[in-house]
């Protein structure tokens, strides 16, 4: 019985026999003993496992119900055998929520658990901290049962004249709820609300109470909160995290170099509230490096304030990164840290971790070193300010540092560009659109910001600091998390190759492609009608960048060693790299711990998922905003570009708005259209007219669904003749030869 209590994961009859060396005929005796103990109530049996009646089984299902004061998730058994006793609380170890040996596939199959989820978990006694008696390692999320549900409130007047109502779901799979008059929380008709289901009779619609009024569906705030809710993004800091941030004291000079006389400056977007990187450059006075430069990159010292396994660290870990919406930022860290103590404000002493990097006049990195410093920014400039000053139009602030700081910085950038040109990273030309909101929180305009040289300068400085961090840690044989971008898979290369053959653009076979091969493809298409199409196809051929403790290089940047170091305020990966640098270089408190090093694979998998989660939420919100913006322009005509070709129809992008909509194949015309994968085209079987990726077309907006962020168009253009040549007889994805009609009994798509 003591063995079963101490080893719940090894409590089957076979495990017990093996542990006690019971063999042969003695197994029958052991079986009888275990049966008697079970009959007498000393043991309980759950399938093949035995356990003490007063203990948790080794594997069970848990419902995650709340967070404790430290921000950790707490679950309770979904089914508890003692109806008169409370189910025990179980601490959910998020850091153990993934198989450490799992690759991308296992990560995808084991998502991190959240509030309201039901999970299958492995249970063990809690011997490491105060709190619940048990801890759980999540094996699988069985269902995503949100602790609250979002919907649109619709008022209804009941017999007594009081206004209750119903909450309609925001997605097709959601439930409709009845809201009694005393449960409305003063919500108005059409408001987006959060509701909590009530335990009621199974007859009729389920009942619920409104727990939060997000706002009118006519507001951008409501649209943002849909994405936050659907993607499960933590957006409320536990009180323990806020208390820890509020009690944090400013860093002192202990084990820090004094760099307050170094004229570091920050260059950020004009709307930035946090400033986590500062730069300065000067000519190298070392005679051995004549004509060379020294680049200084200082990054906010977040690791000093956010220590491993502290409340702020645990919360940052489950957030993974900050999430950026047009109206707000959901930060990884509380504002006390991100916007105050770790923000490199002008004229204020701030702790930082700094890289000092030397380059030759040919743009080759000669040396680097890392320092824990105290700095004082002499200026906080916007990109436009810095660029205008270099272009000969400085304002009063930038003018005072033009000669002493800005011009030397640009001179250093000219040298860095030599190295970048020699390196030949992937140079895709895909504009990024931004949404500007009006005073009412709705879309005012959508525009493509200018890509200034100031942007490129800061970007290259950050890349060089990231490279230096990865190399410095490898030199110290320190484990870290790399930013990895693998080469395109062979299957994606083949798809791209077949497409490029239709344009008479060659792509060599074999798995030894480099980024400059793709730059050659982009150059061959530049200025032609197919330029946008080729850029899109090259982008689609690329792998997705991820975080990993195993270095596999960065294909897009054409770098062998690369890690994220420059944004620890908004990325957890950078915080890990900072801790690794502090620990390996003996720079004081806040270094990486052995426990962290042991689960770097888990952390890397988690934050890769959280990055995709944030990107999805940002993309969903943009789609919903634009659909809302265009909802009053039904039947309007637009000029767009084909952004995707499928067997079901076309995706058309409106460059002016950055929006995508769908045209079903049945709306393309009366011809029978066949999908040609190699040509990325839908081609009319009788006419030979068709539509291919990148074509400019005229469309009519026929439907806009703001809640779904969906647009649907009808095609107005008639298509163009697409020369298919011999490739018209290659098989399509459906296995039917392109250029032939389907079998007579096959259902035709139009």
């Amino acid at each position: 019985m003591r063995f079963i209590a101490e080893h719940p994961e090894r409590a089957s009859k076979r495990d017990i026999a093996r542990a006690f060396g019971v063999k042969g005929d003695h197994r029958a005796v052991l079986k009888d003993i275990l049966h008697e103990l079970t009959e007498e109530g000393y043991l309980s049996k759950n399938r093949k496992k035995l356990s003490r009646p007063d203990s948790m089984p080794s594997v069970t299902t848990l419902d995650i119900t709340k967070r404790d004061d430290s921000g950790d998730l707490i679950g309770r058994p979904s089914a508890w055998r003692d109806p008169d006793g409370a189910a025990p609380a179980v601490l959910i170890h998020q850091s153990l929520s993934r198989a450490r040996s799992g690759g991308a596939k296992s990560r995808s199959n084991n998502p991190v658990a959240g509030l309201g989820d039901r999970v299958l978990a492995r249970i063990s006694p809690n011997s490491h901290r105060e709190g619940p008696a048990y801890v759980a390692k999540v094996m699988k999320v069985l269902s995503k049962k949100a602790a609250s549900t979002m919907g649109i409130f619709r008022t209804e007047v009941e017999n007594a004249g009081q206004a209750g109502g119903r909450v309609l779901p925001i997605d097709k799979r959601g439930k409709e709820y009845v809201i009694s008059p005393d449960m409305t929380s003063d919500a108005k008709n059409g408001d987006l609300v959060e509701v909590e289901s009530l335990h009621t009779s199974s007859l009729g619609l389920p009942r619920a109470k409104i727990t939060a009024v997000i706002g009118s569906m006519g507001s951008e705030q409501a649209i943002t909160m849909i994405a936050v809710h659907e993607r499960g993004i933590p957006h409320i800091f536990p009180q323990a995290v806020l208390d820890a941030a509020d009690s944090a004291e400013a860093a002192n000079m202990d084990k820090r170099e004094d760099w307050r006389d170094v004229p570091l400056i920050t260059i950020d977007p004009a709307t930035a509230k946090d400033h986590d990187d500062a730069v300065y450059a000067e000519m190298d006075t070392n005679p051995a490096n004549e004509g060379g430069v020294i680049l200084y990159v200082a990054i906010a010292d977040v690791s000093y304030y956010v220590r491993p396994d502290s409340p702020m660290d645990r919360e940052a870990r489950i957030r993974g990164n900050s999430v950026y919406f047009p109206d707000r930022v959901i930060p990884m860290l509380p504002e006390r840290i991100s916007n105050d103590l770790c923000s490199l404000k002008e004229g204020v002493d701030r702790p930082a971790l700094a890289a000092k990097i030397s380059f030759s006049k040919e743009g080759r990195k000669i040396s680097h070193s890392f320092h824990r410093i105290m700095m004082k920014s002499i200026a906080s400039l916007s990109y436009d300010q810095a660029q205008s000053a270099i272009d000969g139009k400085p304002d009063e602030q930038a003018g005072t540092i033009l000669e002493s700081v800005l011009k030397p910085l640009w001179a250093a950038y000219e040298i860095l560009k030599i190295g970048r040109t020699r390196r030949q990273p992937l140079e895709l030309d895909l504009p990024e659109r931004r949404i500007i909101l009006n005073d009412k929180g709705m879309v005012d305009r959508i525009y493509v910001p200018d890509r200034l040289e100031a942007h490129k300068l800061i970007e290259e400085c950050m890349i060089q600091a990231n490279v230096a961090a990865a190399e410095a840690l490898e030199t110290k044989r320190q484990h870290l998390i790399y930013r990895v971008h693998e080469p395109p898979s062979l299957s994606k290369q083949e798809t791209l190759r077949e497409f490029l053959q239709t344009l008479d653009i060659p792509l060599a076979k074999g798995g030894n492609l480099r980024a400059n091969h793709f730059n050659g493809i982009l150059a061959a298409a530049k200025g032609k009608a197919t330029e946008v199409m080729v850029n899109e196809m090259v982008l689609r051929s690329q792998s997705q960048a991820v975080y990993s403790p195993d270095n596999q290089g960065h294909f897009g940047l054409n770098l062998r060693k690369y890690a994220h170091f420059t944004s620890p305020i908004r990325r957890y990966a950078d915080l890990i790299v900072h801790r690794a640098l502090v620990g390996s270089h003996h720079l004081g408190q806040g270094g990486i711990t052995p426990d962290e090093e042991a689960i770097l694979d888990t952390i890397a998998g988690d934050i890769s998922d959280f990055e995709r989660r944030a990107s999805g939420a940002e993309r969903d919100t943009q789609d919903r905003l634009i659909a809302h913006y265009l909802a009053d322009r039904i039947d309007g005509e637009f000029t767009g570009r084909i952004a995707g070709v499928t067997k079901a129809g076309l995706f058309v992008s409106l460059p002016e708005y950055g929006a995508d909509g769908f045209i079903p194949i049945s709306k393309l015309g009366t011809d029978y259209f066949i999908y040609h994968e190699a040509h990325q085209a839908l081609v009319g079987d009788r006419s030979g007219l068709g539509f291919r990726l990148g074509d400019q077309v005229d469309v009519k907006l026929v439907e806009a669904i703001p809640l779904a962020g969906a647009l649907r168009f009808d095609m107005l253009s008639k298509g163009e003749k697409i020369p298919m040549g011999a490739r018209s007889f290659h098989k399509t994805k459906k296995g039917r030869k392109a250029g032939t009609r389907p079998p007579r009994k096959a259902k035709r798509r139009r």
Side-chain angles (χ1 to χ4, degrees), residues 538-614:
V538 169
L539 175 64
R540 295 181 189 186
S541 72
Q542 302 303 304
S543 303
Q544 186 169 29
V546 296
Y547 294 105
S548 173
D550 301 318
N551 183 24
Q552 300 171 47
H554 198 293
F555 179 82
L557 293 175
N558 200 10
L559 293 166
R560 289 181 296 174
K561 300 173 185 178
Y562 193 68
H564 274 168
F565 159 75
T566 55
S567 297
I569 286 177
R570 61 183 179 90
R571 292 189 307 227
Y572 195 80
D574 303 52
L575 178 55
I576 291 291
V577 169
H578 273 234
R579 288 174 179 164
L581 287 165
V582 169
S584 62
H585 288 69
H586 308 293
L587 297 177
Q589 296 180 328
I592 195 168
T593 66
D595 287 344
E596 282 183 297
E597 290 181 314
I599 57 171
L600 285 183
D601 184 63
T602 297
I603 294 174
D606 286 349
I607 59 181
S608 295
D609 286 349
F610 297 155
E611 181 184 40
R612 288 190 288 271
R613 177 181 69 183

Side-chain angles (χ1 to χ4, degrees), residues 330-384:
I330 296 180
M332 184 180 79
L333 298 169
E335 288 190 6
R336 163 72 170 154
I337 301 297
S338 60
N339 291 3
D340 185 8
L341 292 178
C342 285
S343 184
L344 307 181
K345 298 179 179 180
E346 180 179 336
V348 180
D349 289 359
R350 284 290 180 257
L353 201 58
K356 181 179 179 182
I357 314 172
S358 298
F359 296 89
S360 70
K361 61 182 179 182
E362 294 85 14
R364 300 183 188 276
K365 183 163 69 68
I366 297 174
S367 65
H368 58 252
S369 58
F370 282 86
H371 311 260
R372 211 170 197 183
I373 67 167
M374 187 68 73
M375 60 160 284
K376 182 186 291 186
S377 169
I378 65 167
S380 292
L381 303 182
S382 69
Y383 287 111
D384 288 330

Side-chain angles (χ1 to χ4, degrees), residues 420-446:
R420 180 183 177 89
T421 301
R422 182 171 55 251
R423 191 175 80 238
Q424 293 191 349
L426 184 59
E427 301 282 5
L428 285 168
D429 184 16
L430 296 169
E432 181 179 344
R433 286 164 182 80
R434 292 186 183 172
I435 296 175
I436 302 300
L437 305 180
N438 57 27
D439 294 339
K440 297 181 180 179
M442 298 311 300
V443 176
D444 179 59
R445 61 190 176 95
I446 302 165

Side-chain angles (χ1 to χ4, degrees), residues 269-280:
T271 57
K273 294 182 179 179
D274 56 61
H275 308 277
D276 55 4
D277 58 82
V279 293
Y280 172 67

Side-chain angles (χ1 to χ4, degrees), residues 149-402:
T149 301
M150 297 185 79
I152 308 299
F153 180 61
R154 299 298 183 194
T155 56
E156 293 178 350
V157 178
E158 298 189 352
N159 295 333
Q162 293 180 303
R166 298 188 181 191
V167 170
L168 308 180
I170 60 174
D171 59 65
K172 295 179 181 179
R173 294 174 295 177
K175 292 181 180 179
E176 182 176 337
Y177 291 97
V178 174
I179 310 296
S180 61
D182 59 335
M183 297 286 184
T184 63
S185 296
D186 298 323
K188 298 180 177 59
N189 188 54
D191 279 352
L192 178 69
V193 297
E194 285 190 358
V195 299
E196 183 179 305
S197 178
L198 301 174
H199 296 289
T200 57
S201 168
S202 59
L203 300 176
L205 290 174
R207 291 188 172 271
K209 64 177 180 180
I210 295 176
T211 57
V213 179
I214 307 302
S216 167
M217 268 309 299
S219 74
E220 200 279 338
Q221 179 189 29
I223 293 174
T224 296
M225 288 308 298
I226 292 176
V228 169
H229 181 86
E230 285 187 339
R231 297 280 178 170
I233 296 174
H235 63 285
I236 299 174
F237 284 108
Q239 190 58 47
V241 175
L242 296 175
D243 291 344
D246 290 341
S247 63
E249 298 182 358
N252 54 38
M253 287 296 299
D254 185 37
K255 290 197 174 183
R256 293 185 187 277
E257 300 175 33
D258 191 347
W259 282 27
R260 286 175 289 188
D261 291 335
V262 178
L264 291 153
I265 65 169
T266 62
I267 304 178
D268 293 292
T271 57
K273 294 182 179 179
D274 56 61
H275 308 277
D276 55 4
D277 58 82
V279 293
Y280 172 67
E282 63 183 0
M283 298 302 296
D284 193 347
T285 57
N286 185 350
N289 188 29
E290 184 178 354
V293 295
I294 299 176
L295 173 66
Y296 300 83
V297 178
I299 307 298
D301 189 0
V302 179
S303 64
Y304 177 81
Y305 295 103
V306 184
R307 302 294 175 86
D309 204 34
S310 65
M312 281 196 289
D313 179 56
R314 291 194 292 270
E315 183 67 18
R317 166 74 194 287
I318 65 173
R319 293 182 178 226
N321 48 256
S322 298
V323 188
Y324 294 84
F325 298 106
D327 71 322
R328 77 186 76 182
V329 175
I330 296 180
M332 184 180 79
L333 298 169
E335 288 190 6
R336 163 72 170 154
I337 301 297
S338 60
N339 291 3
D340 185 8
L341 292 178
C342 285
S343 184
L344 307 181
K345 298 179 179 180
E346 180 179 336
V348 180
D349 289 359
R350 284 290 180 257
L353 201 58
K356 181 179 179 182
I357 314 172
S358 298
F359 296 89
S360 70
K361 61 182 179 182
E362 294 85 14
R364 300 183 188 276
K365 183 163 69 68
I366 297 174
S367 65
H368 58 252
S369 58
F370 282 86
H371 311 260
R372 211 170 197 183
I373 67 167
M374 187 68 73
M375 60 160 284
K376 182 186 291 186
S377 169
I378 65 167
S380 292
L381 303 182
S382 69
Y383 287 111
D384 288 330
Q385 273 183 293
Q387 190 65 58
S388 294
I390 288 296
D391 292 342
K393 300 177 182 178
D395 61 13
E396 183 177 353
Q397 182 186 25
T400 60
I401 59 170
L402 177 59

Side-chain angles (χ1 to χ4, degrees), residues 4-177:
I4 291 172
E6 293 175 352
H7 305 88
E9 76 285 356
R10 296 166 52 196
S12 69
K13 292 177 183 178
R14 178 178 297 178
D15 290 329
I16 295 169
R18 185 181 297 113
F20 288 92
V22 180
K23 300 178 181 179
D25 295 340
H26 293 291
R27 286 179 177 268
V29 180
L30 173 63
K31 181 178 179 181
D32 291 339
I33 294 173
L34 294 175
H35 178 73
E36 289 176 8
L37 290 171
T38 303
E39 287 291 314
E40 294 170 6
Y42 291 105
L43 294 177
S44 295
K45 185 177 181 181
N46 182 12
R47 295 184 179 179
K48 294 184 178 181
K49 296 284 186 180
L50 295 164
S51 64
R52 295 288 301 273
D54 57 347
S55 66
M56 291 278 289
S58 60
V59 176
T60 190
T61 57
L62 302 174
D63 290 330
I64 299 177
T65 56
K66 67 174 185 177
R67 292 186 188 274
D68 64 13
D69 292 339
S70 298
D72 291 320
L73 294 173
I74 300 295
R76 295 183 184 275
S78 304
W80 186 240
R81 54 181 166 267
D82 183 0
D84 299 321
V90 183
L91 175 67
I92 308 297
H93 263 185
Q94 286 286 23
S95 61
L96 300 176
S97 63
R98 299 177 182 275
R100 283 174 53 187
S101 60
K105 184 175 181 180
S106 67
R107 291 169 184 153
S108 175
N109 291 338
N110 292 276
V112 173
L115 276 173
D117 290 355
R118 174 166 289 184
V119 300
L120 181 68
R122 190 176 300 280
I123 309 299
S124 59
N126 185 1
S127 59
H128 300 292
R129 53 164 283 178
E130 297 179 355
Y134 298 96
V135 295
K137 169 185 174 181
V138 176
M139 301 167 63
K140 184 178 182 180
V141 176
L142 300 175
S143 60
K144 285 281 185 183
K145 290 188 175 181
S148 59
T149 301
M150 297 185 79
I152 308 299
F153 180 61
R154 299 298 183 194
T155 56
E156 293 178 350
V157 178
E158 298 189 352
N159 295 333
Q162 293 180 303
R166 298 188 181 191
V167 170
L168 308 180
I170 60 174
D171 59 65
K172 295 179 181 179
R173 294 174 295 177
K175 292 181 180 179
E176 182 176 337
Y177 291 97

